[in-house]
DNA sequence: AGATTACATGCCCATTGGGCAACTTTGCGC
DNA sequence: GCGCAAAGTTGCCCAATGGGCATGTAATCT
């Protein structure tokens, strides 16, 4: 992304990435429950204590990429044209993000399939989502809030529904062995969640 | 509910309940992070080891009631009249459940407000929801699955959206200091999630 | 360069989750 | 009622974890 920022920052980012990578690799190789923090620490060439400075747990380390991705999505949503409604902004942002990542995020697939199999990971991921949900709610409210009667509730529902669509689409994508492009499934899921239930 | 089942079963249920209660009380009194498993154990008059036989963690113990409640909801959904569509069954079940609990579940309120403040609890709760989401998907698919083109995806979305509505409604209910009856907020949230996004 | 600040590491400890084995209670067939 | 099998409880133990504190080391600022 950026070559900017001081050496310090770059090193930090590197270390964080290294830990994340190491954790992911080990988890794939041996299965999550046969990986201890010490293992990761060794693989990443850092001290046990340093690990804790970066992440609160194995799970956090594994889901780091996930968090990054969603954070970027939230940013994209904020930067959408002012004229768009909340829902339009959400959809537009997803479309763009998927586009310029070229569909081919192997790590994402790996993380997701780990998450599917591992309750502890799922829990952490959902908790992250919940945190981001709040920001999403604000972003949506900022667009649709004017004059709406129950704008607060609506924004919340929309944010949550949106995340649900993302989550389910990703899972379906994995289950289908990535037969269809993620973007297609994503669109379908978003359509579906926006459609009225009978 | 039932006075049936052997002495053994009853005692177990009692102990489980006692642990749950103790955990909840202590968490309210001192705040969750100032409660250790040992504290709970002491308050509930059981050994440290026995705690682990019942629950895997503080969080599990605290959310026990929650799990029970949702489990009962799922049962209610399964037992709905066969003619109803998935969405109808979901709504009907919620309405009934709320009705015959008379709106006045203090513990529920307490648990929810704890959950709102505590990420670790939220994580666990969402993980539980995820587990139940699967059962919900099946129940819905069983009703709406016939002939639908993308019934799988639709069922998933519906189940998740449904749980989203429940979760948000409960949170709003708490935030409003229980000014409005939960059932009303719940209906509103369900309406909202079933409405198409613009 | 010298001062300041941020970060990495080592040491340490309370808490946790769960395996194992002994002991106690409950349920059941006779 | 008796005695045995099954289920539950407890104590003991240990690896793993999360995080406070102090100290060394590298980066940034002036």
């Amino acid at each position: 992304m950026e070559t900017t920022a001081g050496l310090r920052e770059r090193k930090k980012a590197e270390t964080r990435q290294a830990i994340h990578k190491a954790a992911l690799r080990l988890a794939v190789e041996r299965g999550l429950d046969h990986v201890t923090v010490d293992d990761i620490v060794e693989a990443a060439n850092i001290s046990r204590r340093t690990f804790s400075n970066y992440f609160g747990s194995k799970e956090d380390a594994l889901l780091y990429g996930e968090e990054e991705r969603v954070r970027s999505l939230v940013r994209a949503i904020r930067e959408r044209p002012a004229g768009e409604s909340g829902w339009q902004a959400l959809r537009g942002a997803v479309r763009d993000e998927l586009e310029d990542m070229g569909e081919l995020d192997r790590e994402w697939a790996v993380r997701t399939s780990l998450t599917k199999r591992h309750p502890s990971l799922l829990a952490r991921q959902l908790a992250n989502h919940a945190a981001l949900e709040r920001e999403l709610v604000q972003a949506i409210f900022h667009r649709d809030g004017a004059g709406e009667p129950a704008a607060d509730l609506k924004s919340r529902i929309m944010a949550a529904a949106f995340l649900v669509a993302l989550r389910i689409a990703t899972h379906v994508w994995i289950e289908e062995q990535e037969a269809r492009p993620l973007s297609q499934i994503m669109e379908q899921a978003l359509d579906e969640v926006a459609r009225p239930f009978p």
Side-chain angles (χ1 to χ4, degrees), chain A residues 103-128:
Chain A
E103 302 273 349
L104 30 65
D105 196 335
R106 275 257 50 69
E107 286 208 1
W108 190 5
V110 171
R111 280 195 310 263
T112 306
S113 75
L114 274 177
T115 301
K116 272 180 66 68
R117 261 190 293 296
H118 256 292
S120 67
L121 272 180
L122 183 62
R124 216 59 79 136
Q125 196 210 29
L126 292 175
N128 288 350

Side-chain angles (χ1 to χ4, degrees), chain A residues 23-64:
Chain A
L24 206 52
R25 184 172 58 76
L26 290 176
V28 170
E29 286 178 5
R30 323 183 185 170
L32 179 55
D33 4 57
H34 299 110
V35 179
T36 71
V37 172
D38 287 305
D39 296 335
I40 301 173
V41 151
E42 190 186 11
N45 276 319
I46 51 161
S47 74
R48 172 69 178 62
R49 193 60 186 76
T50 296
F51 177 90
S52 288
N53 291 337
Y54 282 89
F55 298 105
S57 61
K58 275 186 294 205
E59 287 77 15
D60 284 347
L62 283 168
L63 291 175
Y64 171 61

Side-chain angles (χ1 to χ4, degrees), chain A residues 62-82:
Chain A
L62 283 168
L63 291 175
Y64 171 61
E66 205 68 14
E67 232 183 298
E68 278 303 277
R69 211 177 39 70
V70 188
R71 198 182 309 285
S72 132
L73 182 60
V74 172
R75 210 180 313 122
I77 289 164
R78 287 232 179 76
E79 289 165 359
R80 283 255 101 193

Side-chain angles (χ1 to χ4, degrees), chain A residues 87 91 95 165 183-197:
Chain A
W87 188 246
R91 297 202 65 145
R95 203 188 310 264
S183 58
Q184 184 191 323
I185 304 176
M186 203 74 92
E187 296 285 338
Q188 195 185 347
L190 285 167
D191 285 344
E192 208 51 64
V193 83
R195 193 194 308 281
F197 296 139

